[in-house]
């Protein structure tokens, strides 16, 4: 029986943030898949980084100056999507909004008092999640962005 890896590593992801209009660095946790070939599986929900999602397999290399692992490229996309959500209505508890998506099998992580990120697994119908996001946005309870929308979820919501 193949032994599951539980070794974790931190990977620095450097990217330009449209939200902050500047270069940012974000640290993501990842499982070590193949240390020799520098392959890692993302094991956290990116807060700010675009185009990377939970469970993606990435290639990271050691920065010679800082001796830290730095993201280089995505090797294999997991099919997960990352959605950024900002709470606009202070009369609603953030957990109330997060619970809506939890019932749809979407894990979320709170970043601060009015911002959280959603991980949408590949096997979740994004049409239903997006309908709820759109409804909450129309009611001015939230605003949201789709910085990392997988091909699977994009196809589910594209007008054909």
């Amino acid at each position: 029986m193949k032994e599951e890896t539980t070794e974790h590593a931190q990977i620095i992801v450097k990217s330009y943030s449209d939200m902050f209009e500047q270069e940012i660095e974000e640290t993501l946790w990842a499982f070590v898949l193949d240390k020799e070939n520098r392959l890692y599986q993302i094991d956290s929900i990116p807060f700010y980084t675009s185009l990377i999602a939970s469970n993606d397999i990435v290639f990271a290399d050691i920065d010679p100056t800082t001796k830290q692992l730095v993201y280089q490229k995505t090797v294999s996309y997991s099919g997960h999507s990352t959605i950024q959500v900002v709470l606009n209505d202070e009369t609603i508890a953030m957990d109330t909004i997060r619970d809506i998506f939890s019932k749809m099998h979407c894990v979320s992580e709170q970043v601060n008092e009015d911002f959280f990120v959603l991980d949408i697994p590949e096997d979740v119908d994004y049409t239903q999640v997006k309908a709820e996001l759109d409804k909450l946005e129309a009611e001015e309870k939230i605003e949201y962005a789709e910085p990392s929308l997988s091909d699977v979820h994009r196809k589910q919501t594209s007008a054909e």
Side-chain angles (χ1 to χ4, degrees):
M1 186 165 140
K2 188 179 178 213
E3 194 174 311
E4 291 289 316
T5 179
T6 56
E7 183 183 357
H8 273 88
Q10 289 185 317
I11 297 176
I12 306 295
V13 180
K14 299 176 183 183
S15 63
Y16 182 81
S17 169
D18 290 331
M19 184 188 318
F20 296 108
E21 298 179 341
Q22 66 182 20
E23 290 290 325
I24 60 159
E25 280 189 15
E26 180 173 2
T27 303
L28 300 177
W29 283 102
F31 289 115
V32 177
L33 296 181
D34 184 341
K35 203 171 205 168
E36 184 178 319
N37 290 307
R38 301 179 298 278
L39 295 176
Y40 304 86
Q41 183 175 24
I42 300 299
D43 186 39
S44 55
I45 307 172
F47 293 162
Y48 308 108
T49 303
S50 299
L51 307 176
I52 300 175
S54 291
N55 291 351
D56 285 356
I57 297 174
V58 302
F59 173 80
D61 215 350
I62 298 285
D63 180 295
T65 308
T66 65
K67 306 293 187 227
Q68 294 178 304
L69 278 172
V70 178
Y71 168 86
Q72 302 297 316
K73 66 180 181 178
T74 302
V75 175
S76 175
Y77 293 96
S78 63
H80 285 234
S81 294
T82 303
I83 309 300
Q84 299 167 331
V85 181
V86 176
L87 192 62
N88 285 340
D89 186 339
E90 294 177 9
T91 65
I92 299 172
M94 181 178 289
D95 285 344
T96 302
I97 301 293
R98 291 176 64 199
D99 285 347
I100 293 167
F101 299 103
S102 178
K103 290 175 183 163
M104 296 179 177
H105 307 287
C106 301
V107 175
S108 66
E109 190 163 338
Q110 185 171 339
V111 180
N112 60 38
E113 64 276 348
D114 59 0
F115 176 52
F116 69 95
V117 289
L118 277 172
D119 173 55
I120 318 296
E122 180 181 25
D123 61 352
V124 168
D125 182 355
Y126 186 59
T127 309
Q128 295 173 349
V129 174
K130 185 167 178 58
E132 189 63 37
L133 288 164
D134 289 342
K135 176 180 160 267
L136 291 166
E137 190 169 60
E139 294 169 353
E140 299 184 354
K141 294 178 181 175
I142 66 162
E143 289 179 45
Y144 75 96
E146 302 169 318
S148 182
L149 195 59
S150 72
D151 288 343
V152 170
H153 295 139
R154 187 174 287 108
K155 286 176 187 164
Q156 291 173 349
T157 56
S158 66
E160 301 204 33

